[in-house]
Amino acid sequence: MENLIVIAITAILAENFVLSKFLGICPFLGVSKKLHTSVGMGAAVTFVMVLASIVTWCIQKFLLEPFGLGYLQTIAFIFVIASLVQFVEMALIKLSPHLYESLGIYLPLITTNCAVLGSALLIQKNEYSFIEGIVFAFASAVGFTLALLLFAGVRERLEECDIPEFMKGFPITLISASLISLAFFGFQGLKF
């Protein structure tokens, strides 16, 4: 149990996918303009990341390793992630059309979100058990969502600030993201 807590805290804070490993930057920068869309994207990424990690762990252990097909790992994992994103997209169209509209192009980008693929690959690299893999995937997704929400809050407040003209838009966005990332690097020294 203690090992699972360490895995979770490390994945959320010390090794945050967006702010420490720099995985999933495209949705981080693109969807973080409003808190509402950040919550929706975080939920979608959490669902896809956890489900993809479960399916890819099973594929790795029961198909790729026993038959010596480890070289197909990346291709198989990408196929699984793409299929799951299509499933999420169909579900959002039926359950929450407004959220689907607000996510726009960023929902299909989950397919190419390297945070989702990174989670599946890191579970295999670290040789996590099934339960450890699920905890790692969920905690990584929570860390991704936390980063999105923090950054969305900062960006919403920046809209109200008097920013010099040459810094408006993308420059201030990148500076803000780098400052949040620096703050998260303070968690790197945590030892459990």
Side-chain angles (χ1 to χ4, degrees):
M1 182 64 168
E2 182 179 315
N3 187 38
L4 297 178
I5 294 169
V6 170
I7 288 171
I9 292 173
T10 302
I12 293 169
L13 298 175
E15 295 182 15
N16 186 288
F17 271 31
V18 176
L19 301 172
S20 296
K21 293 184 182 289
F22 306 111
L23 298 172
I25 296 294
C26 184
F28 174 70
L29 293 174
V31 179
S32 61
K33 292 179 184 172
K34 300 288 179 201
L35 279 171
H36 175 71
T37 55
S38 296
V39 170
M41 177 59 95
V45 167
T46 301
F47 178 77
V48 171
M49 193 178 285
V50 171
L51 205 54
S53 295
I54 291 169
V55 173
T56 56
W57 189 91
C58 292
I59 287 173
Q60 181 72 25
K61 298 299 180 199
F62 301 120
L63 183 65
L64 298 179
E65 284 179 6
F67 294 107
L69 301 172
Y71 59 91
L72 293 175
Q73 181 185 57
T74 304
I75 294 169
F77 288 8
I78 289 171
F79 179 73
V80 167
I81 292 166
S83 301
L84 290 173
V85 169
Q86 291 300 314
F87 173 71
V88 169
E89 192 170 354
M90 290 186 306
L92 278 179
I93 289 171
K94 290 186 180 201
L95 300 174
S96 180
H98 178 64
L99 180 59
Y100 175 76
E101 294 286 328
S102 64
L103 289 176
I105 187 67
Y106 296 102
L107 185 59
L109 284 179
I110 295 175
T111 304
T112 58
N113 186 345
C114 53
V116 178
L117 180 60
S119 173
L121 292 173
L122 284 171
I123 288 169
Q124 301 308 319
K125 180 185 174 211
N126 295 333
E127 298 179 356
Y128 286 141
S129 69
F130 184 72
I131 299 299
E132 290 172 337
I134 292 171
V135 169
F136 177 77
F138 181 75
S140 297
V142 167
F144 181 87
T145 305
L146 175 67
L148 274 176
L149 293 175
L150 287 173
F151 196 51
V154 168
R155 287 182 78 176
E156 283 186 356
R157 294 195 70 182
L158 281 174
E159 289 178 9
E160 300 168 6
C161 294
D162 186 26
I163 301 169
E165 195 62 38
F166 70 93
M167 291 294 292
K168 287 185 178 177
F170 206 60
I172 196 69
T173 299
L174 290 179
I175 290 170
S176 301
S178 65
L179 291 174
I180 294 172
S181 180
L182 280 173
F184 267 72
F185 270 110
F187 295 115
Q188 292 286 327
L190 290 176
K191 298 290 181 203
F192 297 99

